[in-house]
Amino acid sequence: MALIVMKFGGSSVADSERMERVAWIIAEKFTEGNDVVVVLSAQGDTTDILIEKANEINPNPSKREMDVLLSTGEQVSIALMAMTLEKIGLPVVSLTGWQIGLQTTTDYGSARVERIATERIKTELDRRRIVLIAGFQGINRYDDITTLGRGGSDTTAVSVAVTLNADLCQIYTDVEGIFTSDPRKVPTAFKLDEITYDEMLELASLGAQVLHNRSVEIAKRYGVNLEVLSSFERKPGTIVKEVTKVEHSKISGVARDTNIARIALMGLKDEPGIAFKVFRTLANASINVDIILQSIGRDDTKDISFTVALGDMAAAQSVLEENKESLGFTDLSVDDNIAKVSIVGAGMMTAPGVAAQMFEALYGAKINIDMISTSEIKISVLVEKKDAERAVSAIHAQFFGA
Amino acid sequence: MALIVMKFGGSSVADSERMERVAWIIAEKFTEGNDVVVVLSAQGDTTDILIEKANEINPNPSKREMDVLLSTGEQVSIALMAMTLEKIGLPVVSLTGWQIGLQTTTDYGSARVERIATERIKTELDRRRIVLIAGFQGINRYDDITTLGRGGSDTTAVSVAVTLNADLCQIYTDVEGIFTSDPRKVPTAFKLDEITYDEMLELASLGAQVLHNRSVEIAKRYGVNLEVLSSFERKPGTIVKEVTKVEHSKISGVARDTNIARIALMGLKDEPGIAFKVFRTLANASINVDIILQSIGRDDTKDISFTVALGDMAAAQSVLEENKESLGFTDLSVDDNIAKVSIVGAGMMTAPGVAAQMFEALYGAKINIDMISTSEIKISVLVEKKDAERAVSAIHAQFFGA
């Protein structure tokens, strides 16, 4: 008998038919004799509908009240799922964030989990009940409702798994697991049986948003056995863990992100602290910078190029222009006609020549590389947006075969 | 400066436009310098939609989970109203049932208020915030969510008013106040400026369901100044209190209830305990009985007639037939072609001849009286359903003029 935490996302509980399918997955685990804790997201696009409703009333509502509003979505899910399980004849109890004492920081809209009181959950498990928990929500020290931000239900699930010392944390979603690349774009992409936490973190940050990053970070820190699998097909998914078995390939995935823009500052003075000033200015405006490239310009000046999320491009441009004088650049150019293509793999640390293999694939496909950035387990290149899909296919074929 | 509790029903907050109208009513009271606590119901038919959603999944869900589900409706209302008030620029905080520590009995779906912790509300009022409270909901001693049953938000408002020792509790609704009769049916019906708690209780039980009965009972017990008024028109409403000013009329209202049925048991043995057995049988089946009439039948037997809610008719009939032998009646007849017409007025206690006046009106309209029942401040008669509307008009004209 094991203690299993299962998490089902919004698409898995979107309507009563899907709820019933999920109920049978839960029922199976429970009747096998396991203790079962289930974390649920809001149904389908409930959260988006609530946000829209709020914005109609007030385009700039307080985050506190937004959290009061949004947290109802998950509460509806757990109640309806409880009723679905009751119909099957299973013992069940639904609990909200405050009922499990999920304490968070005070940051409404993007709170972090601080601790979870285990008493209530354990009491209910001892009574042999399936425990349904509303994901995404908690309370802060003022006894106000908080939410954990997008994808927060993953974080709830992993945090509950850590607190209860669960044997396994299963994240059920609408895909079968983690793929070597987007299977809708790369027909030869295949599902990985295993992946390391670090690879998962890099992949998530590259736009392969299957698992919420913070949940993977917590899972890594506490060594939670994570499994990503489909709620629609009964197949094994992908296990996320510290070390995977012998690598079949040097890399575990190829991803692309077209949701980026590049900004270049030219003619910066070549003096200490210039890069600091530029990126502090952006940080103060809450703009995250990804790839950074610094090069020597003409006449003893420097050029700095960097990428930001497409949605931040306009804000970044305007805050930099505002500070043109103090930063001391001569020209600023922006380019949103680019894409980032990356390979990720813990294996590349010990396998030389992975970068060369990647560049070879791009050369073979006659694709120009604009910028390059590397980490221990990731290599990213910027290419023209139109070349992104071909680049992914070429690289995937290079490492995994066509 | 006063402390005012305002309650707005579902139709008053049904959409963003109505919410804004309500927001300005609240704003007015707040900017006059009052401490303002607002209790809200779920928007429009939200509760019905949620019930329907639940019943699609499970026709017989547990009441506990139903309460988890339904309580989200009021939570959405307070969040959206808070955002509406924020837009106007007013300081506001929304609080759920558990956040104000509204403790109830354990009866899911029909819990009773036991106590309310005042700390949080008082702290927020001291910070000069408008406090929005989700009506209809509380928590029981297991820290489970409970609801107070239909119309429970009225009870929340009055309970909060009692706890805070409020100066006034205003119930905003879609009518202007309490009328002498249904103004849609009796064109000469007029709004009462004042009514006693007892009259209000009798009227509510007669189908003039403007205020939830339990809320009036609590208001009476603790002497809460209640006002029923419209959220759509800026007019004074009806004040509900212990003693009203000199009566303009001996009665305060004429009501009808067509949602009833009459059951007659014939040939009962004339021995002690027979009535007890009959009504205990019905009570065990959770069937409420209203008017009871006992008369002498033929051959030393007794007949007993009584009315029940139309919805209970079939259940009452079947439970009585099942116990025909032990109860010892010879025949049972049911009649759903009836209506109850009643007059209510604290003044009738000291004004002789009120009953005679009522019967005179019915005689003048050539309407047969089937059964009569009286209390200290109420006289009810049963008439044929087709005569009900005419009966109300004739009685209204008799007491208030045509």
Side-chain angles (χ1 to χ4, degrees), chain B residues 181-188 254-258 338-341 361-362 365 367 383-397:
Chain B
S181 195
D182 185 341
R184 289 165 302 183
K185 300 287 168 61
V186 181
T188 53
V254 187
R256 69 183 184 129
D257 186 356
T258 55
I338 54 164
K340 181 169 67 170
V341 174
L362 294 168
I367 293 167
V383 299
E384 271 193 73
K385 200 173 252 174
K386 69 172 172 55
D387 293 332
E389 224 164 283
R390 273 197 315 126
V392 171
S393 293
I395 296 166
H396 197 272

Side-chain angles (χ1 to χ4, degrees), chain A residues 15-27:
Chain A
D15 53 43
S16 54
E17 201 184 311
R18 290 184 180 192
M19 283 234 174
E20 194 156 332
R21 180 158 42 194
V22 166
W24 285 109
I25 297 175
I26 297 169

Side-chain angles (χ1 to χ4, degrees), chain B residues 41-229:
Chain B
S41 301
Q43 291 187 285
D45 46 7
T46 301
T47 304
D48 290 329
I49 291 169
L50 288 172
I51 290 173
E52 205 178 300
K53 211 166 175 177
N55 286 333
E56 264 171 41
I57 283 176
N58 183 343
N60 192 24
S62 70
K63 286 184 178 175
R64 182 195 184 278
E65 297 300 337
M66 199 55 138
D67 283 356
V68 175
L69 181 69
L70 295 186
S71 62
T72 61
E74 284 72 21
Q75 191 169 327
V76 168
S77 283
I78 55 172
L80 293 178
M81 182 58 79
M83 295 172 189
T84 311
L85 287 162
E86 283 171 355
K87 195 176 62 172
I88 299 180
L90 292 175
V92 62
V93 63
S94 76
L95 299 171
T96 62
W98 65 266
Q99 285 177 320
I100 63 163
L102 194 153
Q103 288 280 343
T104 72
T105 58
T106 55
D107 317 289
Y108 305 103
S110 58
R112 282 171 175 270
V113 179
E114 286 185 334
R115 83 192 77 84
I116 299 173
T118 54
E119 293 81 359
R120 181 71 193 260
I121 302 176
K122 282 190 175 157
T123 305
E124 301 291 357
L125 289 176
D126 286 346
R127 299 169 70 185
R128 266 309 273 165
R129 284 177 166 178
I130 296 167
V131 177
L132 304 184
I133 292 175
F136 179 64
Q137 60 183 256
I139 49 169
N140 65 20
R141 73 181 127 165
Y142 307 119
D143 266 1
D144 279 351
I145 297 168
T146 51
T147 66
L148 310 179
R150 283 273 161 176
S153 290
D154 291 347
T155 305
T156 303
V158 174
S159 300
V160 167
V162 170
T163 306
L164 297 176
N165 200 16
D167 299 289
L168 179 60
C169 180
Q170 295 187 311
I171 309 288
Y172 286 82
T173 173
D174 49 6
V175 297
E176 280 172 51
I178 311 300
F179 279 71
T180 52
S181 195
D182 185 341
R184 289 165 302 183
K185 300 287 168 61
V186 181
T188 53
F190 58 90
K191 198 201 73 195
L192 296 161
D193 293 335
E194 297 185 337
I195 191 170
T196 68
Y197 298 120
D198 288 332
E199 289 171 333
M200 193 64 229
L201 285 169
E202 291 284 15
L203 277 175
S205 68
L206 296 173
Q209 194 73 13
V210 176
L211 270 180
H212 197 233
N213 247 3
R214 211 173 327 146
S215 67
V216 183
E217 285 165 17
I218 298 170
K220 175 179 156 73
R221 191 180 325 140
Y222 295 97
V224 175
N225 279 319
L226 264 185
E227 183 179 9
V228 178
L229 67 176

Side-chain angles (χ1 to χ4, degrees), chain A residues 71-223:
Chain A
S71 62
T72 61
E74 284 72 21
Q75 191 170 329
V76 168
S77 283
I78 55 171
L80 293 178
M81 181 58 79
M83 294 172 188
T84 311
L85 287 161
E86 283 172 356
K87 195 176 63 174
I88 300 181
L90 293 175
V92 61
V93 64
S94 76
L95 298 172
T96 62
W98 66 266
Q99 284 177 319
I100 63 163
L102 194 153
Q103 288 280 343
T104 72
T105 57
T106 55
D107 317 290
Y108 304 103
S110 58
R112 284 172 173 267
V113 179
E114 286 185 336
R115 82 192 78 85
I116 299 173
T118 53
E119 294 82 0
R120 181 72 193 259
I121 302 176
K122 282 191 174 155
T123 305
E124 301 292 355
L125 289 176
D126 286 345
R127 298 169 71 184
R128 267 306 274 164
R129 284 177 166 177
I130 296 166
V131 177
L132 304 184
I133 292 175
F136 177 64
Q137 60 183 257
I139 49 170
N140 65 19
R141 72 181 128 162
Y142 307 120
D143 266 1
D144 279 351
I145 297 168
T146 50
T147 66
L148 310 180
R150 282 274 160 176
S153 290
D154 291 346
T155 305
T156 304
V158 174
S159 300
V160 167
V162 170
T163 306
L164 297 177
N165 199 16
D167 299 288
L168 179 61
C169 181
Q170 295 186 310
I171 309 288
Y172 286 83
T173 173
D174 49 5
V175 297
E176 280 171 49
I178 312 300
F179 279 70
T180 52
S181 195
D182 185 342
R184 289 166 303 184
K185 300 286 168 60
V186 181
T188 52
F190 58 91
K191 198 200 72 195
L192 296 163
D193 293 334
E194 298 186 335
I195 190 170
T196 69
Y197 298 121
D198 288 331
E199 289 172 330
M200 192 64 229
L201 284 169
E202 291 285 14
L203 277 175
S205 68
L206 296 174
Q209 194 73 14
V210 177
L211 271 180
H212 198 233
N213 246 3
R214 210 173 328 144
S215 67
V216 182
E217 284 166 17
I218 298 170
K220 175 178 154 74
R221 192 178 327 141
Y222 295 98

Side-chain angles (χ1 to χ4, degrees), chain B residues 323-353:
Chain B
N323 293 281
K324 186 171 182 180
E325 214 156 318
S326 65
L327 296 173
F329 59 87
T330 55
D331 294 287
L332 181 156
S333 70
V334 296
D335 182 2
D336 60 359
N337 190 30
I338 54 164
K340 181 169 67 170
V341 174
S342 311
I343 59 174
V344 168
M348 72 173 67
M349 283 191 282
T350 53

